[in-house]
Amino acid sequence: MKPIHLLLIFSVIFTAISGCVSDRGDTGAYGNQTETNSYQGEQLTPIAQQRNNAIKGTQYIDRESYRLQVDGFVENPRNFTYEEITGLPQTSKVIDLNCVEGWGFTAKWTGVKIAEIFEEAGAMENATTVIFYSADGYSTALDKDYLLENDIILAYKLNDVTLPPERGFPLQLVAEDKYGYKWAKWIVRIELGNSPYRGYWEERGYNNIADVGGPAFERRG
Ligand SMILES: Nc1nc2c(c(=O)[nH]1)N[C@H]1C(S)=C(S)[C@@H](COP(=O)(O)O)O[C@H]1N2
Ligand SMILES: [Mo]
């Protein structure tokens, strides 16, 4: 057989094999985990193509010593371990993150509804504002009603992969329909209160409502 014929046969076989592999289509590798590429008919952006943003770079949080502190207007101020959080009822949804700078992506987010955390800590009726504090000194706040009415979750998985360090491990707030600066990463404390609060970017002029499509900036008197 001429070498050119062998080459042809090999290329046909190779194409067939690689076709089998890539035809699966709905998952991909992410480290040693399997990343989901579509969910409930919706196409997801692969993590490798999603952008990151952080004021002080990646925070590396240790799973064992991590505690989520919940305090303020709650009957039982308390800490949660990583295992306690991931042991609560789990919710998944496909949501877009839109940074106010104009970029965005679509992902499947899996985590716990804030309502579950509020239930555990005994959130008080008169609490109106919820402040999220992060390990890098970042903070932001949202109305308690917004969080409850929209079943907002604290995500610990992204496209079925454990939240990578640069993406906020262990927890990122999935503030759907709000600009990216409300999506706090590396959350270490949640404080309930009844007075308005401006977080890191909000204090620097960004709109405290932060509805996607709404104004990015706010005039302050
Ligand atoms: N702790 C912390 N959370 C943060 C930020 C930050 O700097 N620190 N940046 C915010 C901004 S402006 C955006 S757009 C999103 C980006 O989220 P991503 O890096 O997961 O894509 O994170 C938000 N959460
Ligand atoms: Mo952003």
Side-chain angles (χ1 to χ4, degrees):
M1 203 183 288
K2 282 181 186 163
I4 185 74
H5 292 148
L6 267 175
L7 202 71
L8 267 171
I9 290 165
F10 277 122
S11 65
V12 165
I13 291 169
F14 181 77
T15 309
I17 292 169
S18 57
C20 286
V21 174
S22 63
D23 268 2
R24 278 169 59 226
D26 53 348
T27 58
Y30 189 88
N32 57 4
Q33 301 181 75
T34 303
E35 181 177 359
T36 301
N37 296 335
S38 71
Y39 182 65
Q40 296 179 339
E42 295 193 72
Q43 204 58 39
L44 310 174
T45 311
I47 296 172
Q49 288 170 32
Q50 300 175 10
R51 282 181 62 169
N52 299 347
N53 176 288
I55 51 166
K56 287 184 187 156
T58 300
Q59 306 294 303
Y60 294 90
I61 293 181
D62 175 57
R63 181 191 292 233
E64 295 300 319
S65 57
Y66 174 76
R67 297 290 182 276
L68 173 66
Q69 184 183 331
V70 181
D71 58 19
F73 285 25
V74 291
E75 305 287 352
N76 328 299
R78 58 164 288 190
N79 287 331
F80 294 82
T81 65
Y82 184 76
E83 265 62 39
E84 283 171 335
I85 293 163
T86 53
L88 290 169
Q90 180 175 297
T91 303
S92 292
K93 33 183 165 179
V94 175
I95 308 286
D96 294 344
L97 183 153
N98 294 286
C99 176
V100 74
E101 291 173 326
W103 54 269
F105 58 85
T106 304
K108 176 187 177 186
W109 305 90
T110 301
V112 59
K113 286 180 193 167
I114 299 265
E116 297 282 349
I117 301 285
F118 287 176
E119 185 75 25
E120 294 288 320
M124 294 179 186
E125 270 308 313
N126 58 344
T128 53
T129 305
V130 181
I131 309 172
F132 299 87
Y133 299 95
S134 303
D136 57 350
Y138 193 85
S139 66
T140 192
L142 285 157
D143 287 346
K144 186 175 115 208
D145 285 349
Y146 157 82
L147 297 170
L148 294 178
E149 286 163 12
N150 296 289
D151 286 329
I152 298 303
I153 66 171
L154 289 167
Y156 43 79
K157 282 189 174 188
L158 172 61
N159 292 355
D160 290 330
V161 167
T162 299
L163 218 61
E166 69 274 17
R167 303 302 302 283
F169 178 87
L171 295 174
Q172 180 170 28
L173 182 69
V174 181
E176 53 189 280
D177 303 324
K178 300 288 185 183
Y179 284 127
Y181 58 86
K182 291 290 182 183
W183 294 53
K185 303 193 282 192
W186 308 295
I187 299 168
V188 291
R189 179 180 171 212
I190 299 176
E191 182 189 18
L192 285 77
N194 69 348
S195 47
Y197 177 89
R198 300 188 75 91
Y200 183 89
W201 286 120
E202 296 89 334
E203 184 59 33
R204 288 160 177 77
Y206 283 89
N207 193 287
N208 208 10
I209 306 293
D211 282 337
V212 172
F217 297 99
E218 195 168 313
R219 190 182 306 210
R220 299 180 69 195

